Structures are given as structure tokens and as C-alpha cells.
């Protein structure tokens, strides 16, 4: 590998996707306690924001719907409300992911990708239960199957494109997060599918494989969202009931 290829691989490996890239810390000397509190605060604000929306539309606060008597409020009610909010958000995101799969069958899918990503961003702060990392209570790491940044590696996506590993059964069945799947991979396939890490394909073959790979990744995301919803649904594995009585 020459110097140019080495630089290209380094850039591709470390580059974060544009649509969910996080800004660098403004002051690395700040107290750790201060900057470690930011993710928790962002999660609370994100859940509040998402729960004030229905299918992407912000809900107006109508004074007539307010109650003058706050009455009693229990921990169980708070958990149940948060669970209902999460499930509703997951349902919308699952529907948008399914729409993306359908769009890729009839066109380039770019508009549907934007809608699916927007729905995912509302769901992302709700990383508890099956959507959370496997080390958390009830966590199954489903979120990390859909979005792998900061572990995203463009060169691994290109290798999968060239080797056609997206056609193998193992590609979609292994449970650990993979830099060759998820929204960050799909962004590359839909918007920037070129080979920058040393491999080559002729233009026609690259396009054929790009389309096929994108369909596999979109279907994988949609299946994982559908599975997430099923794990929460009262008619499914009912994690909603579990969190309400935790």
C-alpha cells in the first residue's frame, strides 16, 4: 500500500458520518463530572422533545388541556409514560425504515433515507431496554446494530462491497455490531459509493453491487426496528409492562 492509499484509509476509517457527527469538546480541560453529565442531559431533553411530537409533527401546548390539580404522581406512572413514549417513537421509526426498504425497490431511496434517519434520531436518546447496550438493564444492543459510529470504518464497507460479503447469511445474523451495516453504511452507499481504499471495480459493476448492498442494509435496519417494537409491544414480549412495574 502506497502513502496515498494509507492516507485514504486513515481518513476513511476515522471520518464520522455527516448526519450524526458529534462536535469536538470545546475545552478538554473541563472537569470530567461536567462533560460526563452532558449525555444524560441530552437524553432527557431528547426524550422530552420526541414525546412532544407525533409522526414528526410538534404538538401545541393547549391551555385548555392543562390540569389545575396536579394530584398524586408515582414512579410507576412516570416509568409507564416514558415507556409509552419510547414505544410510540419506535413504532414511527420502524414504519419509516420499512418505507425506506420499499423506496429502494422503486428508486434511489434518498428521500426515504432522510425520513428514516430523522425518525432514528428521535429514537436514539431512548437507549434503555432492548435498544440499549447489552451491559445495561434489559439491554440487547439493538441500537448499535443500526448505527455503528464511532466504530464506523469506510474501508470495511468498501471491502464488503468488493467481496460481496453482504450476500452471505452471516452478514445479517451475527449479533455484534458491525461497521459494514447500519445507517452510517447506508449513507455511504446512497451518497458516496466510490472506492477509496485501494480496491477497484468497473463503474457498472460498482453500481450493481451498490444497489444490492444498500437493499440488504436497509432491510436489516427495518427488521431490527420491527424486532425492537415487538419486544416492547404488550402483545409481544411486553417490555413496556416490565418497565412500568420496575
Amino acid at each position: 500500500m502506497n502513502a496515498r492509499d494509507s492516507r485514504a484509509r486513515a481518513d476513511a476509517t476515522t471520518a464520522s458520518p455527516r448526519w450524526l457527527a458529534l462536535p469536538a469538546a470545546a475545552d478538554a480541560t473541563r472537569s470530567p463530572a461536567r462533560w460526563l453529565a452532558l449525555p444524560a442531559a441530552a437524553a432527557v431533553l431528547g426524550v422530552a422533545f420526541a414525546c412532544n411530537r407525533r409522526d414528526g409533527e410538534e404538538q401545541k401546548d393547549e391551555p385548555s388541556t392543562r390540569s389545575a390539580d396536579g394530584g398524586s404522581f408515582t414512579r410507576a406512572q412516570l416509568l409507564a409514560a416514558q415507556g409509552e413514549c419510547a414505544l410510540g417513537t419506535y413504532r414511527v421509526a420502524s414504519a419509516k425504515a420499512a418505507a425506506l426498504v420499499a423506496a429502494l425497490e422503486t428508486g434511489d431511496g434518498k428521500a426515504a433515507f432522510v425520513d428514516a434517519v430523522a425518525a432514528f434520531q428521535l429514537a436514539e436518546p431512548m437507549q434503555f431496554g432492548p435498544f440499549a447496550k447489552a451491559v445495561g438493564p434489559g439491554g440487547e444492543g439493538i441500537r448499535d446494530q443500526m448505527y455503528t459510529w464511532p466504530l464506523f470504518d469506510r474501508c470495511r464497507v468498501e471491502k464488503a462491497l468488493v467481496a460481496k460479503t453482504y450476500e452471505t447469511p452471516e452478514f445479517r445474523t451475527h449479533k455484534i455490531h458491525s461497521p459494514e451495516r447500519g445507517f452510517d453504511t447506508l449513507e455511504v452507499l446512497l451518497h458516496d459509493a466510490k472506492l477509496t481504499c485501494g480496491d477497484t471495480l468497473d463503474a457498472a459493476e460498482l453500481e450493481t453491487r451498490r444497489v444490492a448492498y444498500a437493499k440488504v442494509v436497509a432491510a436489516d435496519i427495518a427488521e431490527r426496528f420491527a424486532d425492537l417494537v415487538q419486544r416492547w409491544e404488550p402483545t409481544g414480549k411486553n417490555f413496556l409492562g416490565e418497565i412500568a412495574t420496575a
Side-chain angles (χ1 to χ4, degrees):
M1 181 181 294
N2 59 36
R4 180 180 179 184
D5 290 339
S6 297
R7 287 194 300 271
R9 179 174 178 84
D11 292 342
T13 300
T14 58
S16 62
R18 297 184 298 274
W19 53 272
L20 266 178
L22 299 178
D27 184 358
T29 63
R30 284 185 176 181
S31 166
R34 293 179 64 186
W35 58 261
L36 281 174
L38 291 176
V44 172
L45 290 173
V47 171
F49 176 70
C51 291
N52 194 38
R53 299 168 71 91
R54 181 180 298 114
D55 195 20
E57 295 297 328
E58 187 170 356
Q59 303 303 299
K60 294 182 179 179
D61 181 16
E62 296 292 346
S64 61
T65 65
R66 299 174 186 168
S67 173
D69 180 13
S72 61
F73 187 70
T74 67
R75 177 175 179 271
Q77 289 174 316
L78 174 62
L79 291 174
Q82 189 174 19
E84 290 283 1
C85 171
L87 177 54
T89 304
Y90 297 152
R91 285 171 178 155
V92 171
S94 181
K96 296 295 185 182
L100 171 59
V101 173
L104 286 170
E105 292 297 329
T106 58
D108 64 18
K110 291 181 179 179
F113 172 76
V114 172
D115 290 342
V117 166
F120 173 81
Q121 286 180 307
L122 289 178
E124 221 218 339
M126 303 177 186
Q127 291 186 47
F128 48 88
F131 201 46
K133 293 184 181 296
V135 295
E140 298 185 33
I142 293 178
R143 176 268 181 198
D144 288 347
Q145 303 283 346
M146 300 180 187
Y147 181 54
T148 64
W149 192 87
L151 300 179
F152 176 72
D153 185 341
R154 181 188 176 109
C155 287
R156 288 185 61 174
V157 173
E158 292 184 19
K159 292 292 185 185
L161 188 63
V162 172
K164 301 175 75 172
T165 55
Y166 55 86
E167 293 182 343
T168 65
E170 296 80 10
F171 183 81
R172 292 172 66 179
T173 57
H174 61 81
K175 293 185 178 181
I176 61 171
H177 61 271
S178 169
E180 298 97 4
R181 296 189 315 219
F183 279 110
D184 26 15
T185 292
L186 196 52
E187 181 188 20
V188 169
L189 294 172
L190 295 183
H191 295 280
D192 193 28
K194 57 187 177 184
L195 299 178
T196 63
C197 299
D199 294 301
T200 59
L201 286 172
D202 68 71
E205 184 62 21
L206 176 61
E207 177 62 11
T208 298
R209 296 188 189 190
R210 180 197 69 79
V211 171
Y213 192 178
K215 289 180 179 179
V216 169
V217 173
D220 182 70
I221 292 170
E223 287 178 11
R224 293 182 191 281
F225 255 129
D227 179 57
L228 175 64
V229 170
Q230 181 64 13
R231 291 173 186 277
W232 272 81
E233 289 284 9
T235 56
K237 294 188 177 181
N238 197 22
F239 188 80
L240 179 63
E242 290 185 33
I243 195 172
T245 57

